[in-house]
Structure formats: structure tokens, C-alpha cells
Amino acid sequence: MEGIVRVLQAARHLSHTYLAPGEHYGLLVRLLTGIGRYDEMTYVFDLLHQNHRFEMLLRKKVDMERGQSSSLKTALLDYIRRCLPADSEKHNMVALCFSMRREIGENHEMAARTQLKIIESQEWVVTPDLKSSLVKVLGLLKDAAESFSKDSCVRQATRCVLTAKLVALQLHFLNQGSDVRVINLRPAVLLNTLVQLPRCYQVFVVSEAYGVSPDWAEVLFQKVILKGDFVYLEELKRHRPLTSSLFEDIFKKLDGAPSSVTVHVKRLLTHCEDVYSRYRLAYQQKLDHVTKTMLQDATWNQSDRPI
């Protein structure tokens, strides 16, 4: 131990007195990797960083059989996290050098979510700076998803892709001159936002990003029953089936609805494929014309069958 201490003391003296002042950075790196006591020699990291020669550590060919490459990687990452936490460029540089795709993805994702937090802390005003920040976030999320995918981190990659779609949708609204906000939404306003979205696919983008299931009964009541937007309904049908339970949930909301929506209710019923449910719902709403027509059709079909 006494010999090791003396060697380390001599190395520190040599580094600060001769190698760094004389700009012998190659020898400084050789000294560090040759001794291999990275925890006791972090001052070499400091000297290289202060003199803008940090990347020389990554060019150093370390003997893999001696296991020093792994320990150098660990020491470098630990140093950056402790001493240079805001220097994402050096973190990515080290991670890329050692093919640490997952770490690169984590760094990109953290930077993106930090930027989103900054946007959340500010008043929601549509400005060129806001758009620029969102474009930056989108790029970081794309890079993060790509890095995660290369390291087979499927769950993390999917999370970044879903958030990237949300940010892209936000940029779409801003570029269209709309101030609709879909990022950084709180649970209390999420449902109201989903109802306001003009397109069905946008509801899927937002709900998947926040990990929630839309209340389709409420959405369709607002969109189809009250506003008569059957284009929206057709778009939804291409993504998911319209079940009998969904129609029942929609019809439960009809109490207190204006009589002017009756035409929309009748048209909506034609999309219910379950004949029994369609008849029962029409009967409950006293849609006599609908029930009578259904009975006549049923009678005609019965009489038309061969004996």
C-alpha cells in the first residue's frame, strides 16, 4: 500500500507540474490508463476537461483483456454525472464511444422532458420561441427513440415515440394558427381537451401519450349527437368497432338533450349492428317511426322466407 501511495503522489506531482503545463496530454492519458487507478486520479479528467482535451480519453486504445475499458467507461460516466451534470454533449460522446445506446437514449429523453417542463412553467403564449422549443424537443425524442431501438429497449422507445407524436400534433396546431394545447395537460382538463379535438386520430394520439382510455361515449355524444359530425363517427369506425355497450352509454346521456338532436339520434342508431339493441334503444327514446320500420322489416323478412 505504501508503494501504491507513493506512485499516486508522484503521478499527481508529475501531472500538475510537468505534463499539463507542458501540454503533454498524450502522456497524461498514458499515465492515467497505465496506472488504471481512475478513482484516485480524477484530477486527470479535470486537467483534460479544463484544457479542452477530454476527447483524447476516448481515442485511447485500452487493452480489453485487462478489463480496463469497462472500468474507464464507468469512471468517465461517473465523473461526468458528478462534476459535469449539465454537459450532455460529453455524456453522449462517452456513451457513443462505448456503444451505450440506452444511456444515449436516456440522456436525450431527459433533455426533452426537461425542455417540456420549462415550457410548462411558462405562460401558454404562441410565439416563435415556443415553436422552436417544440421542434428541439421533437428532435431529441426522435434521437432517443432511435437509440433505445438500437439497444432493443422497446418500452422506452415506444414511450418516446408516443410523446414525439404528441409534440408533432402540438406543432401541427400551432402551424395552423390554433392555440389548442395538448402537451403538459393535467388530468382535470384532459377529457375536455379530447372532446375539443377536431379529428378522431388526434384523440388517439393524445390518449396514448398520456396512457388513458378516452370516454368515447362522451366524445361521441358531444361530436355526433350535439353537433352531427358523422364524418368523425366514420373515422372512429375505421379504428375500433362500435359496440352495443357504447351505444347504450351514449343514449344514457340523452336526458336533457335538446329535441333538435333527434335527427342525429336516429341516424346514429343506423350504425348499431345489433338489431335487438337498436330496437330497445329506439323504444326507450320513443322513436316510434324507427321501431315501426324495424318491425315491418322483420315481418317482411319472415314472410319472405320459404316454407
Side-chain angles (χ1 to χ4, degrees):
M1 290 299 296
E2 184 179 355
I4 294 175
V5 171
R6 288 183 178 179
V7 169
L8 291 175
Q9 289 175 344
R12 177 183 287 271
H13 175 73
L14 181 64
S15 299
H16 285 88
T17 306
Y18 299 104
L19 298 183
E23 299 184 358
H24 301 298
Y25 302 113
L27 294 177
L28 195 61
V29 172
R30 286 186 63 187
L31 183 66
L32 171 69
T33 56
I35 296 176
R37 305 288 291 227
Y38 301 116
D39 291 339
E40 293 92 340
M41 298 179 68
T42 54
Y43 59 85
V44 176
F45 297 155
D46 291 329
L47 291 172
L48 293 172
H49 171 63
Q50 293 164 7
N51 291 280
H52 310 289
R53 295 293 190 279
F54 198 81
E55 70 279 359
M56 293 184 68
L57 285 168
L58 307 181
R59 295 202 299 264
K60 178 64 179 177
K61 300 298 183 181
V62 181
D63 189 353
M64 297 293 292
E65 293 181 356
R66 292 164 58 191
Q68 290 187 347
S69 179
S70 177
S71 57
L72 175 60
K73 172 187 69 176
T74 303
L76 283 170
L77 289 174
D78 181 64
Y79 173 79
I80 292 172
R81 287 166 181 162
R82 287 188 297 104
C83 304
L84 306 171
D87 197 337
S88 60
E89 182 180 353
K90 279 191 174 56
H91 185 281
N92 288 339
M93 185 169 61
V94 173
L96 186 61
C97 176
F98 292 99
S99 299
M100 301 167 66
R101 298 293 182 180
R102 180 174 61 83
E103 285 78 2
I104 295 175
E106 289 174 348
N107 195 40
H108 284 316
E109 184 183 11
M110 184 181 300
R113 297 196 181 279
T114 299
Q115 188 64 44
L116 286 174
K117 285 292 184 182
I118 294 174
I119 295 174
E120 183 180 17
S121 66
Q122 301 171 347
E123 184 179 357
W124 183 253
V125 180
V126 179
T127 62
D129 288 341
L130 175 61
K131 294 181 180 180
S132 177
S133 296
L134 289 174
V135 170
K136 179 181 178 181
V137 170
L138 184 59
L140 287 168
L141 289 170
K142 288 180 178 179
D143 291 341
E146 182 179 359
S147 296
F148 281 133
S149 297
K150 290 180 178 178
D151 206 15
S152 300
C153 300
V154 179
R155 182 174 58 84
Q156 295 93 324
T158 301
R159 181 179 62 222
C160 291
V161 169
L162 294 178
T163 307
K165 287 182 178 180
L166 183 71
V167 174
L169 179 61
Q170 184 66 77
L171 282 168
H172 167 74
F173 284 129
L174 297 183
N175 291 332
Q176 294 293 320
S178 171
D179 61 351
V180 173
R181 182 174 182 173
V182 295
I183 61 170
N184 298 324
L185 293 180
R186 300 186 182 278
V189 301
L190 187 54
L191 175 60
N192 187 50
T193 301
L194 293 177
V195 172
Q196 290 181 2
L197 296 175
R199 297 287 302 278
C200 182
Y201 82 90
Q202 296 166 352
V203 176
F204 282 106
V205 169
V206 175
S207 60
E208 289 174 355
Y210 288 96
V212 300
S213 298
D215 185 351
W216 286 114
E218 179 63 26
V219 173
L220 292 180
F221 175 76
Q222 297 287 339
K223 291 286 188 183
V224 179
I225 297 296
L226 297 184
K227 298 181 180 180
D229 189 352
F230 283 88
V231 174
Y232 189 98
L233 182 67
E234 292 294 341
E235 185 180 354
L236 177 61
K237 287 173 64 177
R238 292 194 292 269
H239 291 88
R240 55 159 293 169
L242 302 180
T243 62
S244 299
S245 60
L246 177 59
F247 283 95
E248 291 173 2
D249 291 339
I250 296 173
F251 273 65
K252 289 176 182 177
K253 301 177 181 293
L254 292 178
D255 293 340
S259 58
S260 58
V261 303
T262 302
V263 62
H264 299 155
V265 174
K266 292 180 179 179
R267 185 176 174 183
L268 177 64
L269 268 178
T270 63
H271 292 269
C272 181
E273 297 181 357
D274 187 340
V275 177
Y276 173 76
S277 296
R278 190 194 315 166
Y279 181 86
R280 180 163 50 82
L281 292 172
Y283 181 81
Q284 291 174 355
Q285 294 298 318
K286 297 181 172 56
L287 302 176
D288 297 335
H289 177 71
V290 176
T291 55
K292 185 180 297 185
T293 302
M294 291 184 67
L295 288 174
Q296 289 174 350
D297 291 343
T299 303
W300 174 261
N301 290 335
Q302 289 288 340
S303 61
D304 194 44
R305 290 179 180 178
I307 299 177

